[in-house]
Amino acid sequence: VRHIYIPTEVRVPIQNKNIAVALQLTREAEQQTAKLEADLREAERKVELEASRITVETEKKVAEAMAEGQKQAEEIRAETTKLIATLDRETAELEKEATILQGQAKADAQKLLQEAQAGKFKLAVEAFGTGEAYNLWVFASGLPIDLKLNLVYAGTGTFWTDLNNFLPAMIGKQLQEKK
């Protein structure tokens, strides 16, 4: 049987019924799709929200860890500075004590040296009998070995009376020294 023609009055309501059923199925599928799409969007928003929350928490924990690390570093730095200051103070105290002891030792050594020299002079004065005798010996010891003394006898009277003989002798000696 081919070419069966259903009259339009019968065919249209059947087609409309089939179209209505198809449209209803389409609408239900569209609603279900829309609902699934809404659920998908909601799930995506939840994922984004959780991701941003985790990011914020991670940044917060990183910031806390950095702050704690910096705090510990500053505490260590402060403690180190305090220890350095303590050591510097102790070193300064030791250097002060060493300087005082060194100054005292030098002063004591100088005192003992001066006392020894004074004792030496005291023994020398006692050996010569008087301070004047010791002074004469010191003076004589300081004279050069090749010192020549010329005794000019002027006769009775003063030295000025023999200046006639002294002047030519002195000029002759100066001439010899120049040559």
Side-chain angles (χ1 to χ4, degrees):
V1 181
R2 292 188 181 181
H3 301 298
I4 299 175
Y5 292 104
I6 301 173
T8 310
E9 299 92 33
V10 174
R11 185 174 36 117
V12 170
I14 292 173
Q15 283 180 339
N16 285 341
K17 178 185 169 201
N18 287 337
I19 291 174
V21 168
L23 281 175
Q24 183 179 0
L25 290 175
T26 302
R27 298 288 177 247
E28 288 175 1
E30 285 176 353
Q31 284 177 351
Q32 193 172 12
T33 302
K35 182 181 177 194
L36 289 175
E37 192 172 326
D39 290 344
L40 175 65
R41 298 294 171 242
E42 183 180 345
E44 286 175 350
R45 298 296 175 254
K46 285 182 181 179
V47 167
E48 288 174 3
L49 179 65
E50 281 298 311
S52 63
R53 186 181 65 80
I54 289 172
T55 302
V56 169
E57 286 181 10
T58 303
E59 288 174 357
K60 178 182 170 187
K61 287 182 180 181
V62 167
E64 287 173 354
M66 290 295 288
E68 183 66 26
Q70 286 179 348
K71 176 185 169 191
Q72 288 176 352
E74 290 301 320
E75 287 174 353
I76 291 170
R77 186 175 291 119
E79 189 66 30
T80 302
T81 302
K82 181 180 173 184
L83 289 174
I84 288 172
T86 302
L87 290 176
D88 285 346
R89 182 177 46 84
E90 290 173 1
T91 302
E93 287 290 324
L94 291 174
E95 287 176 353
K96 179 185 84 170
E97 290 175 14
T99 302
I100 290 171
L101 289 175
Q102 188 177 18
Q104 272 183 326
K106 284 182 181 179
D108 291 346
Q110 187 69 21
K111 179 181 173 187
L112 291 174
L113 181 64
Q114 295 296 328
E115 286 176 355
Q117 286 179 347
K120 177 179 118 180
F121 289 129
K122 180 180 176 187
L123 290 174
V125 168
E126 287 176 0
F128 281 97
T130 65
E132 186 177 339
Y134 175 72
N135 283 339
L136 289 174
W137 177 78
V138 170
F139 175 73
S141 298
L143 291 175
I145 294 175
D146 61 345
L147 178 70
K148 293 181 183 178
L149 293 176
N150 291 329
L151 183 62
V152 177
Y153 180 70
T156 56
T158 65
F159 176 71
W160 303 105
T161 58
D162 198 26
L163 275 179
N164 291 338
N165 292 334
F166 177 73
L167 192 59
M170 193 60 157
I171 293 173
K173 185 176 180 181
Q174 286 180 348
L175 287 175
Q176 282 180 353
E177 285 178 1
K178 286 184 181 179
K179 287 181 182 179

